[in-house]
Amino acid sequence: KLLGVDDPGRSVINRSGRVDVDAIDEAAGLALSGDDVDSAVAGQISDLHIERGIADGGHDAGNLGENAGAVVAVHALRPADAGDDHRQLQQPAGRQAVDQRQSHEAVDLATQRWLTYGEFNDRATRLATALRERFGVEHGDRVAFLARNGTDHFEAMFACWKLGAIFVPMNWRLSPHETAAILEHCEPRVVLHDADFASLLAFAHVPTLERVPGHAACRYEQLIAAHEPLVAMEHADFDTINLLLYTSGTTGRPKGVIYTHRMTHNIVVHAALHARIRAGTRTLTYSPLFHAAGLNALAMPSFHYGGAVLVMRTFDAGACLAMLTDPGLQVTHTVGVPATYQLMSQRPEFATASFPTLEVAGVGAAPVPLHLLETWAAKGLVLSQSFGLTEAFSVSFTPPEKAREQI
């Protein structure tokens, strides 16, 4: 769902908590009538329209109300030059696209666990209850997560947001001493971690909870199963801290980059406008989720829009290429680095590969050689280059049509 654009000079959410339609037009070049936006779906930030819209197929009309942490959910918008026939919200088409894939919204490919938004939200709420009751996690507390990619990353993050807590994804490539230094700095209430990474916590002096992906008997799964989904959304405004991403920077120890809900919704808006994220988007995610790109580039916006997020545990060139070319999976978006696209293009099956549903393939983190751009363009797929940094993610993203002009 498209969150209200916030800009230092102009916000689409005015002082009365209503949507400023002119600001949307100014910032996004979108043509909407006042009634269109006023009837858009409203929901809490970390509910991500899970409970009220996607799970039951319904719509909640109304304005943002008094909660400054509310979001505006706008379906499948068309550019202003699409003509008067498309000045209304494209709700029927967007709703149909979401409903058809309702059982495939959060997909953990390693464990083959396919969750609906209702199931996903239920697990996140149970986990939020458990974090509060078992570990005393409250508003402003930190929860660290040390694990390979999986839908549990997002599950734990949304559980934190329900409590007003701060999610801290950890880099599992660090040494035990480096891991301990970060934990000492952020002082989490608990570390949720893969059993494989227990050794990285050798010098940590905080409570831990072990998880084994796909195993119902592990402590993480037992904790979720033992608690009811009792947590109500805590008050959070756009300046509430929701995430700490540690980056090495250039000197000294890693620094914790502070994210707020305002930063998150700006990321979502940017992806919606330039990466064509919408209801019905199906994103394949394989970049590490302790990095800004893996967490924020396409996966986060896809969840906000009611799309499906398919998560690979680790990158494998052959497996990734097979998924991108599989018409059954219907992957529409992905993002990687030049090396991942190079490795896929070197696979023997790339010569005959086609990408029937892939619309946007983002690339960043390093300069992209011209020959690599030409190799993928020959397949009819132009790589959309992006630029950003952990501290200010997604400074620029080249829309596919503009990317083609640059080759």
Side-chain angles (χ1 to χ4, degrees), residues 35-110:
D35 291 339
D36 290 334
V37 176
D38 283 348
S39 64
V41 183
Q44 300 274 359
I45 285 180
S46 70
D47 282 340
L48 298 176
H49 204 49
I50 291 171
E51 291 180 318
R52 296 197 243 179
I54 305 304
D56 62 13
H59 293 280
D60 290 330
N63 59 37
L64 291 178
E66 297 179 356
N67 186 352
V71 300
V72 183
V74 182
H75 287 269
L77 304 176
R78 293 207 179 187
D81 61 2
D84 292 340
D85 291 341
H86 299 294
R87 290 179 66 85
Q88 73 281 3
L89 297 181
Q90 304 292 310
Q91 290 184 352
R95 181 82 272 141
Q96 182 181 19
V98 172
D99 288 344
Q100 287 174 346
R101 297 162 178 162
Q102 188 169 342
S103 61
H104 308 278
E105 306 301 353
V107 182
D108 193 302
L109 293 166

Side-chain angles (χ1 to χ4, degrees), residues 282-284 310 323-324 326 329-333 357-358:
R282 294 175 66 80
T283 296
L284 179 63
L310 294 78
M323 292 177 192
L324 295 178
D326 184 352
L329 282 180
Q330 297 182 309
V331 174
T332 61
H333 289 64
T357 61
L358 193 57

Side-chain angles (χ1 to χ4, degrees), residues 2-16:
L2 182 61
L3 310 186
V5 179
D6 188 87
D7 179 83
R10 186 74 177 276
S11 172
V12 303
I13 302 174
N14 61 28
R15 293 182 181 274
S16 65

Side-chain angles (χ1 to χ4, degrees), residues 11-35:
S11 172
V12 303
I13 302 174
N14 61 28
R15 293 182 181 274
S16 65
R18 302 283 291 182
V19 176
D20 186 336
V21 181
D22 291 336
I24 291 181
D25 288 339
E26 178 180 299
L30 300 174
L32 300 174
S33 71
D35 291 339

Side-chain angles (χ1 to χ4, degrees), residues 84-378:
D84 292 340
D85 291 341
H86 299 294
R87 290 179 66 85
Q88 73 281 3
L89 297 181
Q90 304 292 310
Q91 290 184 352
R95 181 82 272 141
Q96 182 181 19
V98 172
D99 288 344
Q100 287 174 346
R101 297 162 178 162
Q102 188 169 342
S103 61
H104 308 278
E105 306 301 353
V107 182
D108 193 302
L109 293 166
T111 61
Q112 282 298 296
R113 184 174 63 191
W114 298 60
L115 299 172
T116 66
Y117 267 109
E119 293 166 339
F120 191 43
N121 184 60
D122 180 74
R123 284 178 57 88
T125 309
R126 288 175 183 273
L127 180 57
T129 305
L131 290 173
R132 171 175 285 173
E133 294 182 357
R134 183 72 62 87
F135 299 102
V137 177
E138 297 292 346
H139 194 286
D141 287 336
R142 278 75 60 202
V143 174
F145 198 86
L146 180 65
R148 294 189 188 274
N149 285 7
T151 55
D152 288 353
H153 270 80
F154 299 101
E155 176 178 283
M157 181 176 68
F158 297 147
C160 288
W161 291 7
K162 287 173 181 290
L163 296 170
I166 301 167
F167 183 63
V168 187
M170 303 281 293
N171 185 343
W172 43 262
R173 294 193 176 107
L174 299 180
S175 71
H177 285 287
E178 291 170 320
T179 300
I182 290 177
L183 294 176
E184 181 181 354
H185 184 261
C186 70
E187 299 179 327
R189 285 281 188 175
V190 61
V191 180
L192 311 176
H193 69 94
D194 279 356
D196 295 345
F197 298 139
S199 62
L200 296 180
L201 300 171
F203 305 111
H205 303 288
V206 295
T208 62
L209 183 73
E210 188 174 278
R211 64 184 286 275
V212 180
H215 291 264
C218 74
R219 292 176 59 203
Y220 178 85
E221 291 294 337
Q222 288 181 335
L223 186 73
I224 291 176
H227 289 79
E228 295 298 320
L230 302 178
V231 168
M233 174 66 186
E234 290 292 321
H235 174 77
D237 60 29
F238 283 119
D239 294 317
T240 298
I241 299 172
N242 62 1
L243 188 68
L244 279 180
L245 278 180
Y246 276 82
T247 178
S248 62
T250 55
T251 61
R253 290 184 173 183
K255 286 81 175 172
V257 175
I258 295 174
Y259 276 67
T260 65
H261 284 296
R262 187 183 308 277
M263 293 173 68
T264 299
H265 96 265
N266 286 344
I267 289 169
V268 171
V269 168
H270 189 257
L273 296 179
H274 302 296
R276 309 296 188 256
I277 301 292
R278 64 189 185 282
T281 290
R282 294 175 66 80
T283 296
L284 179 63
T285 296
Y286 55 80
S287 298
L289 293 177
F290 56 77
H291 280 317
L295 198 63
N296 289 325
L298 297 175
M300 184 82 74
S302 294
F303 275 125
H304 279 69
Y305 252 78
V309 178
L310 294 78
V311 184
M312 295 182 70
R313 182 172 170 82
T314 56
F315 174 74
D316 177 86
C320 188
L321 183 60
M323 292 177 192
L324 295 178
T325 58
D326 184 352
L329 282 180
Q330 297 182 309
V331 174
T332 61
H333 289 64
T334 195
V335 64
V337 298
T340 58
Y341 288 104
Q342 180 70 30
L343 290 170
M344 284 190 282
S345 69
Q346 291 173 343
R347 299 283 304 181
E349 59 269 31
F350 184 81
T352 57
S354 63
F355 304 89
T357 61
L358 193 57
E359 301 170 9
V360 176
V363 60
V368 188
L370 180 59
H371 74 83
L372 189 60
L373 294 173
E374 293 172 340
T375 296
W376 282 82

